[in-house]
Amino acid sequence: MQVLVRDNNVDQALRVLKKKMQREGVFREMKQRRAYEKPSERRVRERADAIRRARKAARKQAQRDGLLPAPKRKPPLGRTPRPGMAPRPAS
C-alpha cells in the first residue's frame, strides 16, 4: 500500500493511509489474528459474513428497483447551526 505525502503534510498522509487500511480490512484481520480461531469457528464466521454480504446486496438491489425506500441521508458534518444560534451575516 502506498500513500503520497504532499507538502510535507504527514498528518494528512496518515489519515489517508488509515482510511485505505480500513477499507481493505487490515484492522479487522489484525484483530481476528490476536487469538487462535478454531477451524470450525472460522467456517461459522465466514458463513455468517457471506450471509450478511448477500443480504446487504439484496437490500441494495431492492432499493435500486424501488421495492424498498432509500435510506435517509445524514446532513454533512459542521454544516448545521447549533440550536439557539442565529446564522452569521455574510461579510
Side-chain angles (χ1 to χ4, degrees):
M1 200 170 293
Q2 188 175 11
V3 176
L4 296 175
V5 179
R6 295 183 182 153
D7 300 327
N8 285 334
N9 194 347
V10 178
D11 293 331
Q12 177 69 27
L14 272 174
R15 277 198 298 270
V16 171
L17 177 66
K18 284 182 181 180
K19 191 173 282 191
K20 281 186 177 185
M21 290 173 71
Q22 181 77 31
R23 255 188 252 123
E24 293 291 323
V26 173
F27 294 123
R28 190 180 316 118
E29 188 174 339
M30 284 176 15
K31 187 176 179 182
Q32 286 175 352
R33 288 178 185 251
R34 284 185 187 155
Y36 177 73
E37 184 177 29
K38 289 170 41 178
S40 60
E41 291 173 350
R42 181 179 177 196
R43 280 191 300 270
V44 168
R45 178 182 51 81
E46 288 177 351
R47 196 171 293 141
D49 289 346
I51 290 170
R52 195 174 304 113
R53 282 193 307 272
R55 282 185 181 157
K56 183 176 181 179
R59 185 172 56 246
K60 293 279 189 183
Q61 186 62 44
Q63 287 173 353
R64 277 188 235 114
D65 293 342
L67 301 174
L68 288 176
K72 293 181 182 176
R73 303 196 86 179
K74 296 178 183 175
L77 294 176
R79 302 286 182 177
T80 56
R82 286 184 279 169
M85 297 286 291
R88 291 184 184 173
S91 300

